[in-house]
Amino acid sequence: MSVLSTQMITSLEESTSQSEELFTDFHRHPELSMLEERTRTIVAEQLTEYGYEVQEIGGGVVGVLKNGDGRTVLFRADMDGLPVTEASGLDYASTATQTDADGAEQPTMHACGHDFHITAGLGAAKLLAEHRDGWSGTYVALFQPGEEKAAGARSMVADGLVDKVPTPDVCLGQHVLTTPVAGKVAVASGPVLSTAASARIVVHGAGSHGSMPHLGVDPVVLASAIVTRLQTLVSRELSPSNFGVVTVGSLQAGSSANIIPDTATMLLNFRAYSEEILDQLIDGVERIVRAECEAARSPKEPEIELYDRYPLTDNDADAAEVVRRGFLEQFGEERVEEMAPATASEDFSIVPDAFGSPYCYWGCGAYAEGRETYPNHSPLWSPDLQPTLRTGTEAAATAVLAHLAQEG
């Protein structure tokens, strides 16, 4: 016994070549965050062809399929690529470039699996539309822009998402990951992805000749002191039982060996499994930066800009249990694992939070057992096309149908 009917399984098998063709097209033509025009057009055309009521909202696309009385279930897929030069060696590798929001020409790659997410989302939408005799209720297929910049979910909400589509009883989403192995799925209740935020910090010095450091204020030494001191935020201020990360990913200052520059710029990234700890880390950084600037006699206050903030992805226990039972019924115990919390981050939960709906977010394996794996965002990212695509489509449809079948 499986969640998907025999007719649905047959339809999945018959549409394999079409799904693979659609996937490789998305992979060859990735688009940067909030610039997904071609992708959005294709998604809207496909949903319209399947019989959905389609509208564009905040840079994304939403299709609504009403099929009698019952629950309302939303499934979300993200659409954006990354500014990465692909080095996967795949015969359908991207060679695309795109002008970003700042006017710079960027290499572009689906280096995080969003091409799988789009195609699986469309596959599930097609399956539900073709087999309406197997379920009742309302299905909302949401395709979101700008996940990589934590902008897309907020953009859709700001454009009136909650007033333009039916309120879901539950929201669902998935991501292809390096674990489990391809063909398997992993789900858990509670926190599964961390909060995150980034910061740009500029500290000010007073420029001078390299031979006369006493006549200036050296922002390089100041920034170096800050980087060293920031390491204590996790090692000495967080309980060992709490997870937190503060990373200085960039430190830029000066352009000559014999010139003390006026400024130094740092780019920081934060991760935590709770909003409270994330706020603690951010507050700690500000405290340390300001104190070190004062100690160094900095002539100006530091500039601290917070951006790309991601919420915690914290699965509702009941929603996750319905998905887990559906997966066990559809895939069997050997293909369903417990999802370990990951330190990656998502803006998915902004959508269900806006509706006030519970949610569940799970992982699908991307690499066959024994294969060398490359992480998301790597230029070598190259999941196995199958069974990854088939499993992602089947998992999306299974989770949706499992929730549509619930009472209340």
Side-chain angles (χ1 to χ4, degrees):
M1 186 69 179
S2 64
V3 177
L4 272 60
S5 66
T6 302
Q7 292 80 8
M8 289 180 177
I9 296 296
T10 300
S11 293
L12 269 178
E13 293 171 350
E14 291 175 346
S15 62
T16 295
S17 60
Q18 179 186 357
S19 294
E20 290 181 355
E21 182 179 342
L22 192 60
F23 166 79
T24 54
D25 180 72
F26 285 134
H27 190 87
R28 286 191 178 105
H29 301 94
E31 294 177 293
L32 298 174
S33 300
M34 305 309 296
L35 299 172
E36 304 95 329
E37 295 181 12
R38 179 182 186 273
T39 306
R40 185 170 61 243
T41 299
I42 293 173
V43 169
E45 289 173 349
Q46 291 291 314
L47 291 174
T48 300
E49 181 181 320
Y50 303 157
Y52 285 72
E53 299 174 11
V54 178
Q55 55 185 317
E56 295 186 6
I57 303 174
V61 180
V62 181
V64 176
L65 187 64
K66 296 179 180 178
N67 189 34
D69 296 332
R71 306 184 85 221
T72 298
V73 177
L74 180 151
F75 180 84
R76 172 269 204 178
D78 40 9
M79 301 188 295
D80 50 332
L82 286 158
V84 173
T85 300
E86 182 158 0
S88 67
L90 295 168
D91 58 9
Y92 51 84
S94 168
T95 58
T97 62
Q98 189 176 20
T99 303
D100 66 17
D102 296 322
E105 194 73 9
Q106 299 280 8
T108 314
M109 176 188 176
H110 267 303
C112 200
H114 296 185
D115 43 358
F116 281 100
H117 303 169
I118 307 164
T119 313
L122 287 173
K126 182 173 186 287
L127 200 64
L128 286 159
E130 289 177 343
H131 298 276
R132 302 185 202 193
D133 56 340
W135 61 279
S136 63
T138 299
Y139 179 51
V140 181
L142 186 149
F143 294 80
Q144 181 205 300
E147 184 276 332
E148 298 292 356
K149 290 187 174 294
R154 291 185 175 95
S155 174
M156 295 188 76
V157 170
D159 195 28
L161 174 68
V162 297
D163 299 318
K164 294 179 178 179
V165 302
T167 298
D169 293 292
V170 67
C171 295
L172 306 171
Q174 66 182 1
H175 208 299
V176 288
L177 300 168
T178 54
T179 57
V181 299
K184 293 186 177 184
V185 292
V187 64
S189 60
V192 291
L193 296 174
S194 71
T195 64
S198 295
R200 178 178 181 270
I201 299 173
V202 180
V203 294
H204 297 272
S208 182
H209 196 287
S211 66
M212 305 172 191
H214 59 294
L215 299 179
V217 174
D218 193 336
V220 178
V221 175
L222 169 56
S224 299
I226 290 171
V227 171
T228 302
R229 181 70 179 178
L230 290 181
Q231 309 311 306
T232 65
L233 284 173
V234 173
S235 67
R236 290 299 178 268
E237 296 192 25
L238 283 189
S239 166
S241 63
N242 290 327
F243 164 75
V245 171
V246 179
T247 296
V248 181
S250 174
L251 197 168
Q252 299 181 19
S255 59
S256 177
N258 66 344
I259 300 173
I260 293 174
D262 288 323
T263 63
T265 300
M266 294 169 283
L267 301 180
L268 279 66
N269 188 250
F270 309 86
R271 306 276 167 164
Y273 285 137
S274 81
E275 298 289 347
E276 293 75 18
I277 291 176
L278 183 65
D279 287 337
Q280 179 183 339
L281 295 174
I282 293 170
D283 292 344
V285 167
E286 183 171 352
R287 184 188 74 239
I288 288 171
V289 169
R290 294 190 184 282
E292 291 290 350
C293 286
E294 183 177 354
R297 300 178 294 109
S298 178
K300 293 175 61 177
E301 288 291 311
E303 301 166 30
I304 304 175
E305 174 196 0
L306 199 67
Y307 63 97
D308 285 1
R309 181 153 183 165
Y310 290 85
L312 180 69
T313 305
D314 188 7
N315 281 345
D316 177 81
D318 291 338
E321 184 57 28
V322 172
V323 171
R324 186 197 311 276
R325 289 199 304 266
F327 285 170
L328 288 171
E329 188 175 340
Q330 182 66 33
F331 296 116
E333 290 187 10
E334 69 281 0
R335 293 179 62 193
V336 182
E337 296 186 1
E338 183 76 7
M339 184 175 178
T343 53
S345 302
E346 257 281 2
D347 68 350
F348 159 73
S349 64
I350 291 171
V351 170
D353 285 349
F355 283 109
S357 304
Y359 62 84
C360 179
Y361 191 86
W362 64 88
C364 292
Y367 290 93
E369 191 167 6
R371 238 204 86 186
E372 185 172 4
T373 62
Y374 303 99
N376 304 69
H377 290 216
S378 166
L380 298 172
W381 167 258
S382 51
D384 292 284
L385 176 53
Q386 297 294 4
T388 306
L389 182 57
R390 164 65 183 263
T391 302
T393 305
E394 197 171 344
T398 295
V400 169
L401 289 168
H403 270 285
L404 284 169
Q406 295 299 297
E407 294 182 1

